[in-house]
Amino acid sequence: MSPPESESFGFQAEISQLLDLIINTFYSNKEIFLRELISNGSDALDKIRYSSLTDPSVLDSEKELYIRITPDKDNKALCIRDSGIGMTKADMVNNLGTIAKSGTKGFMEALSSGADISMIGQFGVGFYSGYLVAERVQVISKHNDDEQYIWESAAGGTFTITPDTVNPPLGRGTEVRLYLKEDQTEYLEEKRIKDVVKKHSEFISYPIQLVVTKEVEKDEEEEEEAKEKEEEEEEGKSKVEEVEDEDEAKEKEKDKKKKKVKEQTKVNEELNKTKPIWTRNPSDITPEEYGSFYKSLTNDWEDHLAVKHFSVEGQLEFKAILYVPKRAPFDLFESKKKRNNIKLYVRRVFIMDDCEDLIPEYLNFVKGIVDSEDLPLNISRETLQQNKILKVIRKHIVKKCMDLFSEIAEDKDNFQKFYEAFGKNLKLGIHEDAQNRSKLAEFLRFHSTKAVDELTTLKDYITRMPSGQKAIYYLTGESLAAIKDSPFLEVLGKRGFEVLLLVDPIDEYAMSQLKEFDGHKLESVSKEGLELEETDDEKKAREEEAKSYEDLCKVIKDALGDKVEKVVVSNRISDSPCVLVTGQFGWSSNMERIMKAQALRDTSMSSYMASKKTLELNPKHPIVKELRRKVSEDKADKSVRDLTYLLFETALLTSGFSLEEPTSFAKRIHRMIS
């Protein structure tokens, strides 16, 4: 019988260009070809399953629905077989070369503007990614309505289609054979295939099988017996049995049993055993299943702290599982690491794992997956940014994260672990996310003058406020030890007002954005403009006191020059002689310290943000009274200048600033002691 005639066809011009581009350009992530071919196989299986709903007999040609990968090292070929709907001859001609998909042009434009090759399947031309690794591709396909055909091309501008009389019948479905380039034979290695499938196609809803060669031990005895039987039959049982003595016979029997031979057999190993649990009903999933899914998703060795599994339906459909880990990773705020840990799937096909529009940066510790039904598969990073669906998904995810944190907050011990690990992220959220600021503020915990050992919430603080207090007071500093006895707390402590003690550097940034909470203003007690309620008599007495100290204030201001902006009488200290407060809108002393510590800081900024300092004097303190007496007696008294500088420098230290000239401060002390 003569071999069947093969017909030759020319590729449509745009497809030829695309193939040129794929073959002649260097791409680092060639592995995506496997994702694309598996995804195509999954689509073909979807189609046949859909047809079988109305006509079950379409499955008769092949009952099992699967995708099977077979590496053939002898021929340097990788075969990807699916038992999907298959292609007729006409389908092959149209779909594999002569009719350009609408995405061909779009994909080439995207590539030329710097897009990634991995977007190829999202334009409907994923099949051609096979040429990233193959020099020649064969497609063998059998559709229920047609014969089995072979499509073949080495991408040289033409392809051939031949009736298949050489390969075993497929029954139904398609087999893509990639004859690999010399430098791409790594894709025949079992480990490499497994890694790529796990990374890109783990949650395809059909079993992905890999044909692996396994060594099986067999007893040789059985084989020898079978051979002996055959020989006996051949000789017509004319053989004369030799008589052996009993011992010899036993020895032989032992040897027979000992001998084992290794035989190589091929078995199908399923690679995607982890089924997508997000598609199941949350009430059917055990905590253990959530735990093992979390570990397979994140490679974390510990269990998660909390999980949120939800689906959104309506105008937009997506399912998601979000996890909060127990510990913060060591590189949580590393700017070069990937932006977040949410994997984006579209209809169970993995698209990307650092989609920055899915979740704000401050929630980068939340791990999980989002599987959308509505996003188009042609979703590149560029189109993602304009995608409205994504904005809605993001809004839902942030809202669900807030719900998840509220659930964690119900258990005090769990929340303590969570806050220790991720408190900084919440504060960063207050700085960045105006929309959820008030919700995030509910999760904040601080030390305070009334709860030094344990942390308090802003809500609890408000419940403890005395009737005369209108604002929420706070003080920032380097450490609890440095600020718990700060002079700024003296008068407030005597009045019974609680002050929050903020010792985390990021608190400065958070508080600059969180202006109020639950209708109460947040006020820093180390900045000027601190208003404390007083009666008319108290106010009058304070004004008179201020008047009597005007001369002293002027002398001190002249002595200190531009080191301070002004010198005034204070209403916030009762035990210390003086204190330095900063302007309402500049940096606090703590912020100045933080900014000075920035390695790559912009020094021009510090000149106008570094606050103007105001020296506030305590009129009731003996040192200040003595100074006033000396000034009234002799304004040119030299000891006044020395005392003024000493007071100013000690105030710098107690108010959280650093000394500009520590040696002159030391000399002044030594001089006074001697």
Side-chain angles (χ1 to χ4, degrees):
M1 188 181 156
S2 62
E5 284 288 307
S6 64
E7 284 182 70
S8 189
F9 299 85
F11 279 116
Q12 194 270 346
E14 277 176 1
I15 294 177
S16 273
Q17 284 174 313
L18 175 65
L19 285 169
D20 269 356
L21 205 59
I22 289 173
I23 291 163
N24 300 319
T25 315
F26 175 74
Y27 296 108
S28 52
N29 56 340
K30 295 188 172 195
E31 62 183 41
I32 57 105
F33 81 90
L34 195 53
R35 175 188 77 181
E36 296 307 332
L37 296 176
I38 288 173
S39 187
N40 287 351
S42 171
D43 292 344
L45 289 161
D46 279 341
K47 284 177 185 164
I48 196 71
R49 194 174 64 177
Y50 186 69
S51 304
S52 72
L53 297 175
T54 48
D55 178 9
S57 68
V58 295
L59 292 178
D60 292 347
S61 44
E62 172 63 82
K63 284 268 188 281
E64 197 188 341
L65 299 179
Y66 61 85
I67 295 165
R68 185 175 295 147
I69 303 168
T70 314
D72 176 358
K73 289 189 178 175
D74 300 336
N75 297 312
K76 287 190 190 152
L78 184 67
C79 308
I80 295 106
R81 151 112 166 85
D82 67 72
S83 56
I85 197 157
M87 283 184 281
T88 62
K89 181 182 174 185
D91 289 339
M92 280 184 163
V93 175
N94 294 338
N95 296 347
L96 303 181
T98 59
I99 295 179
K101 294 265 195 332
S102 56
T104 316
K105 196 160 186 250
F107 178 58
M108 287 196 289
E109 282 168 4
L111 269 186
S112 57
S113 63
D116 196 321
I117 184 84
S118 66
M119 287 160 46
I120 184 161
Q122 303 153 10
F123 286 90
V125 284
F127 165 71
Y128 300 110
S129 65
Y131 286 98
L132 286 167
V133 294
E135 53 193 14
R136 180 164 66 93
V137 177
Q138 269 189 356
V139 180
I140 301 148
S141 195
K142 168 78 176 77
H143 189 285
N144 283 340
D145 303 341
D146 206 344
E147 300 304 314
Q148 188 163 312
Y149 284 93
I150 304 173
W151 176 102
E152 184 168 350
S153 176
T158 60
F159 61 91
T160 60
I161 292 181
T162 319
D164 187 0
T165 55
V166 289
N167 295 302
L170 293 175
R172 185 194 66 247
T174 302
E175 183 173 311
V176 179
R177 286 185 189 167
L178 305 172
Y179 292 92
L180 300 180
K181 298 174 186 171
E182 286 296 326
D183 58 344
Q184 298 299 324
T185 49
E186 61 180 291
Y187 293 107
L188 297 173
E189 300 302 328
E190 185 182 316
K191 185 177 184 309
R192 185 76 173 104
I193 296 170
K194 284 180 175 173
D195 288 348
V196 176
V197 171
K198 182 171 169 44
K199 181 176 175 186
H200 293 290
S201 312
E202 195 177 8
F203 300 114
I204 294 285
S205 35
Y206 300 98
I208 300 171
Q209 304 166 349
L210 174 62
V211 177
V212 291
T213 308
K214 294 228 164 134
E215 284 192 341
V216 181
E217 282 194 343
K218 276 196 173 179
D219 291 344
E220 204 174 34
E221 180 193 342
E222 296 165 21
E223 289 175 26
E224 279 180 10
E225 274 176 18
K227 272 186 194 167
E228 277 172 23
K229 271 185 189 171
E230 274 174 32
E231 280 169 18
E232 278 175 20
E233 280 165 18
E234 274 172 28
E235 290 172 20
K237 291 181 184 165
S238 60
K239 194 176 173 192
V240 180
E241 288 187 11
E242 289 173 18
V243 181
E244 294 170 335
D245 86 22
E246 250 176 73
D247 293 342
E248 253 180 61
K250 278 181 185 169
E251 279 298 310
K252 270 197 170 181
E253 198 64 38
K254 262 188 192 173
D255 285 352
K256 259 188 189 177
K257 279 182 183 167
K258 274 182 202 166
K259 271 190 180 176
K260 287 199 167 184
V261 71
K262 285 185 175 174
E263 229 187 39
Q264 294 204 333
T265 57
K266 291 193 182 304
V267 290
N268 295 332
E269 188 180 322
E270 195 173 323
L271 301 185
N272 55 339
K273 283 200 173 75
T274 320
K275 291 290 174 246
I277 69 167
W278 63 84
T279 56
R280 291 162 53 192
N281 186 339
S283 56
D284 300 339
I285 302 171
T286 63
E288 288 74 28
E289 284 177 298
Y290 278 127
S292 67
F293 178 64
Y294 168 72
K295 284 174 182 168
S296 76
L297 185 75
T298 60
N299 296 328
D300 194 347
W301 72 90
E302 274 190 304
D303 282 330
H304 54 281
L305 182 68
V307 60
K308 189 91 178 157
H309 181 182
F310 63 96
S311 58
V312 172
E313 287 164 2
Q315 285 180 317
L316 159 115
E317 271 186 51
F318 74 90
K319 293 183 168 64
I321 297 184
L322 304 174
Y323 289 98
V324 171
K326 279 191 176 160
R327 284 166 305 97
F330 63 92
D331 56 354
L332 185 60
F333 293 107
E334 194 68 53
S335 57
K336 287 188 176 63
K337 72 188 266 285
K338 64 176 189 192
R339 282 179 285 283
N340 61 54
N341 291 288
I342 305 282
K343 289 185 163 90
L344 175 65
Y345 286 78
V346 174
R347 296 184 283 286
R348 284 159 302 293
V349 176
F350 172 68
I351 300 295
M352 61 177 80
D353 62 356
D354 63 343
C355 172
E356 58 191 281
D357 294 327
L358 261 185
I359 196 164
E361 195 182 348
Y362 71 90
L363 293 174
N364 64 355
F365 63 91
V366 177
K367 297 171 190 272
I369 75 103
V370 171
D371 185 3
S372 163
E373 295 291 326
D374 307 279
L375 280 171
L377 275 165
N378 64 335
I379 195 127
S380 68
R381 291 187 188 286
E382 288 73 24
T383 52
L384 263 176
Q385 285 160 1
Q386 281 94 46
N387 200 298
K388 289 193 177 72
I389 296 172
L390 214 65
K391 289 189 173 70
V392 181
I393 293 178
R394 176 189 172 114
K395 206 171 162 186
H396 278 289
I397 289 178
V398 174
K399 185 174 175 293
K400 292 293 180 183
C401 284
M402 299 302 148
D403 295 349
L404 183 54
F405 302 158
S406 299
E407 284 167 24
I408 300 173
E410 287 167 16
D411 180 327
K412 199 175 175 187
D413 292 343
N414 265 355
F415 191 80
Q416 195 175 343
K417 282 181 207 158
F418 167 73
Y419 196 75
E420 276 169 21
F422 306 114
K424 279 189 173 62
N425 293 71
L426 299 179
K427 291 169 186 175
L428 186 62
I430 283 188
H431 187 256
E432 290 178 355
D433 188 351
Q435 221 172 350
N436 295 291
R437 199 166 280 155
S438 53
K439 182 71 186 161
L440 282 165
E442 292 175 18
F443 302 122
L444 297 184
R445 303 284 188 271
F446 301 109
H447 291 283
S448 85
T449 48
K450 287 190 179 171
V452 180
D453 297 331
E454 59 175 57
L455 301 170
T456 184
T457 64
L458 291 171
K459 269 189 175 165
D460 290 347
Y461 177 99
I462 290 170
T463 58
R464 293 194 290 266
M465 276 167 55
S467 53
Q469 186 181 346
K470 290 191 171 62
I472 296 172
Y473 297 117
Y474 69 90
L475 175 62
T476 56
E478 191 171 357
S479 65
L480 272 179
I483 60 170
K484 70 177 195 306
D485 298 320
S486 166
F488 292 116
L489 305 174
E490 291 170 0
V491 166
L492 292 161
K494 286 190 171 151
R495 289 189 173 215
F497 292 173
E498 187 174 4
V499 180
L500 298 173
L501 306 174
L502 279 49
V503 291
D504 192 344
I506 200 168
D507 290 335
E508 282 283 357
Y509 297 91
M511 288 303 167
S512 66
Q513 297 297 332
L514 187 70
K515 304 277 193 299
E516 61 162 46
F517 179 78
D518 211 0
H520 297 275
K521 264 178 68 179
L522 275 95
E523 248 182 72
S524 167
V525 298
S526 68
K527 290 191 170 183
E528 65 179 1
L530 181 71
E531 288 176 12
L532 298 171
E533 274 203 358
E534 49 190 1
T535 61
D536 291 344
D537 292 347
E538 284 171 337
K539 195 176 181 185
K540 200 175 176 190
R542 189 169 59 80
E543 282 169 359
E544 280 172 10
E545 217 165 26
K547 221 171 196 175
S548 66
Y549 276 87
E550 266 176 8
D551 281 354
L552 176 63
C553 290
K554 192 173 182 308
V555 169
I556 292 177
K557 168 71 179 116
D558 292 343
L560 294 173
D562 56 6
K563 288 189 188 312
V564 292
E565 193 187 17
K566 54 186 181 210
V567 181
V568 294
V569 170
S570 180
N571 65 337
R572 72 182 88 208
I573 45 177
S574 58
D575 304 333
S576 308
C578 58
V579 71
L580 275 170
V581 300
T582 54
Q584 217 166 345
F585 302 106
W587 290 337
S588 65
S589 58
N590 189 47
M591 188 65 161
E592 201 168 295
R593 177 185 65 78
I594 293 166
M595 294 312 282
K596 276 182 183 169
Q598 305 292 326
L600 304 171
R601 70 196 171 103
D602 172 12
T603 45
S604 63
M605 190 177 173
S606 42
S607 58
Y608 58 85
M609 281 305 288
S611 2
K612 305 281 185 278
K613 303 176 184 74
T614 301
L615 183 66
E616 291 193 358
L617 303 174
N618 175 5
K620 297 182 176 60
H621 198 281
I623 295 177
V624 178
K625 284 179 177 170
E626 178 60 20
L627 258 180
R628 185 177 65 164
R629 187 188 64 73
K630 283 192 172 193
V631 167
S632 61
E633 285 174 10
D634 177 11
K635 281 189 180 176
D637 189 339
K638 197 169 182 307
S639 65
V640 170
R641 184 180 165 79
D642 252 6
L643 259 175
T644 300
Y645 264 91
L646 198 57
L647 278 179
F648 171 70
E649 282 165 340
T650 49
L652 270 176
L653 291 172
T654 55
S655 306
F657 293 97
S658 55
L659 291 175
E660 280 175 21
E661 300 168 31
T663 44
S664 58
F665 172 66
K667 280 177 186 168
R668 204 167 280 121
I669 296 271
H670 299 153
R671 198 163 60 236
M672 296 196 84
I673 294 171
S674 61

